[in-house]
């Protein structure tokens, strides 16, 4: 994935808004979304994306748009800008970054499964995975009845015995619920469980009680305290939610100091944002498959096949 990020416009500063439909409505923190909305920012030859994710980002798109417009006006006046909102920090950092001249070849992303367990099992029957199973598969959990999700995991183990599962609970359980779930797992089948509980202390307690390996995700985005632990295996870094690229790099360095895996992960950005995240993954974690398999859920793109942002199809704000 090596986007060119060309710009067909004459403007050295520009801000656009996009709205891309999902293939089917998706649930985020209990709310259904039919489309993904965000902003594309262009600064002196480079692009960034600003896409707060409802239910996960602290800011709304309207707030991100207002701050982005203020920052663009400040840049026009020749001032330096320091956005306060995470999504705006990410977009402006990417659009003003000194990118490496060459990048490592990135491992292919692992597939993402989310949806009703019964529907997922029906769709699995139609895939090629039986003949060419992925080494890892990510599955969203803590969204449907626990018994249904456990039955799906058991069937995945039977159909894909060589595939390790990454389970992502998005902080959806209490400590008791998470422990009850993990006690039913075949741990050899699980690569790790992301964020079973909202509190880090609860997540660690579940890991110690059940032996499950864990990874942190929302804890990092919320900038909450955490520490190294023998059952902590990975940091799942979502730059568009964390914001500042220097803050992301600090997490990468801390992960290396703790001998943790680093997974660069997406938050349902457009193909522009996914391309930027892929470049960061090449730089920060080239040997770890990234969590960037969210583009398949979008029916439209903001870039054309030669790497140009299709500005004519976007709404220009600045």
């Amino acid at each position: 994935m090596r986007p060119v990020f060309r710009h067909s416009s004459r403007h050295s500063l520009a801000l656009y808004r996009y709205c891309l439909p999902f293939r089917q409505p998706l649930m985020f923190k209990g709310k259904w979304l039919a489309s993904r909305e965000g902003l594309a920012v262009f600064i002196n030859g480079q692009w960034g994306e600003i896409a707060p994710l409802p239910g996960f980002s602290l800011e709304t798109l309207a707030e991100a748009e207002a701050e982005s417009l203020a920052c663009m006006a400040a840049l026009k006046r020749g001032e330096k800008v320091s956005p306060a909102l995470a999504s705006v920090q990410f977009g402006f950092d990417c659009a003003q970054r000194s990118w490496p001249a060459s990048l490592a070849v990135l491992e292919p992303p692992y597939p993402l499964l989310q949806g009703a367990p019964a529907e997922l099992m029906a769709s699995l029957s139609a895939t090629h995975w039986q003949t060419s199973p992925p080494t890892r598969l990510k599955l969203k959990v803590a969204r449907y009845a626990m018994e249904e999700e456990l039955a799906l995991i058991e069937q995945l183990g039977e159909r894909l015995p060589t595939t390790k599962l990454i389970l992502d609970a998005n902080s959806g359980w209490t400590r008791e619920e998470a422990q009850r779930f993990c006690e039913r797992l075949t741990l050899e089948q699980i690569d790790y469980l992301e964020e079973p509980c909202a509190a880090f202390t609860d997540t660690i307690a579940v890991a110690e009680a059940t032996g499950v390996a864990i990874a942190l995700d929302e804890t990092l985005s919320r900038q909450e305290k955490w520490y190294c632990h023998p059952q902590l295996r990975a940091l799942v870094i979502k730059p568009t939610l964390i914001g500042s690229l220097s803050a992301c790099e600090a997490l990468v360095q801390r992960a290396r100091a703790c001998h943790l895996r680093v997974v660069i992960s997406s938050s349902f950005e457009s193909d522009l944002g996914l391309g930027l995240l892929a470049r960061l993954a090449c730089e920060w974690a080239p040997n770890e498959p990234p969590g960037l398999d969210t583009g398949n859920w979008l029916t439209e793109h903001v870039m054309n096949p030669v790497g140009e942002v299709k500005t004519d199809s976007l709404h220009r704000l600045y």
Side-chain angles (χ1 to χ4, degrees):
M1 197 185 303
R2 294 285 177 81
V4 183
F5 302 126
R6 295 191 181 96
H7 188 260
S8 55
S9 169
R10 297 185 302 275
H11 304 282
S12 59
L13 296 173
L15 184 70
Y16 299 87
R17 185 166 58 221
Y18 68 75
C19 180
L20 307 176
F22 285 126
R23 279 198 290 113
Q24 64 189 62
L26 295 179
M27 184 186 291
F28 296 93
K29 292 290 184 184
K31 292 186 178 180
W32 292 95
L33 291 184
S35 61
R36 186 70 167 102
E37 295 183 276
L39 309 171
V41 59
F42 181 78
I43 302 173
N44 300 328
Q46 292 196 156
W47 283 100
E49 178 162 334
I50 299 162
L53 183 62
F56 291 86
S57 296
L58 296 177
E59 70 273 17
T60 65
L61 180 60
E63 290 167 339
E65 183 179 309
E67 184 174 63
S68 299
L69 286 169
C71 287
M72 297 302 272
L75 288 174
K76 184 75 172 177
R77 296 191 298 268
E79 301 170 11
K80 286 190 174 182
V81 296
S82 300
L85 302 177
S87 60
V88 184
Q89 289 173 357
F90 173 78
F92 276 72
D93 277 4
C94 285
Q96 299 176 96
R97 191 167 196 260
S98 297
W99 294 93
S102 61
L103 294 169
V105 176
L106 189 62
E107 291 284 325
Y110 45 74
L112 168 66
L113 285 181
Q114 68 174 12
E119 294 173 7
L120 290 178
M121 286 313 303
S123 67
L124 278 176
S125 302
T127 70
H128 64 280
W129 285 344
Q130 270 66 37
T131 54
S132 180
T135 57
R136 290 192 192 106
L137 191 61
K138 183 168 184 174
L139 175 67
K140 293 284 188 178
V141 293
R143 297 186 174 202
Y144 296 88
M146 188 176 291
E147 290 299 325
E148 291 180 31
E149 293 184 339
L150 287 166
L152 171 61
I153 291 168
E154 186 177 344
Q155 290 180 63
L156 285 170
E158 292 171 358
R159 293 196 186 192
L160 305 170
T162 62
T163 299
K164 289 273 194 178
L165 297 182
I166 295 168
L167 304 178
D168 185 2
N170 289 126
S171 308
W173 287 316
T174 64
R175 181 191 295 197
E176 293 73 23
E177 289 169 337
Q179 186 166 328
R180 194 162 73 247
F181 183 90
C182 292
E183 285 170 348
R184 300 271 300 277
L185 295 175
T186 301
L187 293 184
E188 293 75 22
Q189 183 188 4
I190 309 304
D191 190 1
Y192 55 75
L193 171 62
E194 280 183 47
E195 294 280 353
C197 308
F200 178 69
T201 51
D202 287 338
T203 289
I204 291 297
V206 169
E208 290 178 342
T210 65
V212 71
I214 55 169
L216 299 182
D217 177 351
E218 283 91 347
T219 296
L220 310 178
S221 303
R222 294 190 297 253
Q223 300 182 18
E224 294 176 355
K225 290 184 177 180
W226 61 276
Y227 54 82
C228 297
H229 186 275
Q231 280 161 262
L232 178 58
R233 300 294 163 79
L235 298 188
V236 180
I237 297 175
K238 292 184 173 173
T240 53
L241 298 183
I242 292 169
S244 155
L245 293 188
S246 61
C248 294
E249 287 187 282
L251 285 171
V252 172
Q253 295 302 325
R254 189 173 172 192
R256 288 175 181 155
C258 293
H259 306 290
L260 302 175
R261 290 154 57 187
V262 171
V263 180
I264 304 302
S265 186
S266 58
S267 303
F268 288 86
E269 296 82 2
S270 76
D271 48 317
L272 168 63
L274 286 173
L276 293 165
L277 292 170
R279 294 170 79 176
L280 293 172
C282 287
E283 207 175 325
W284 293 339
N287 299 319
E288 184 73 32
L292 302 179
D293 190 42
T294 52
N296 296 328
W297 293 91
L298 297 169
T299 62
E300 297 176 10
H301 300 95
V302 301
M303 298 172 69
N304 63 25
V306 297
E308 293 176 340
V309 173
K310 299 183 292 185
T311 53
D312 291 344
S313 66
L314 306 179
H315 176 63
R316 194 165 66 127
L317 299 169
Y318 185 93

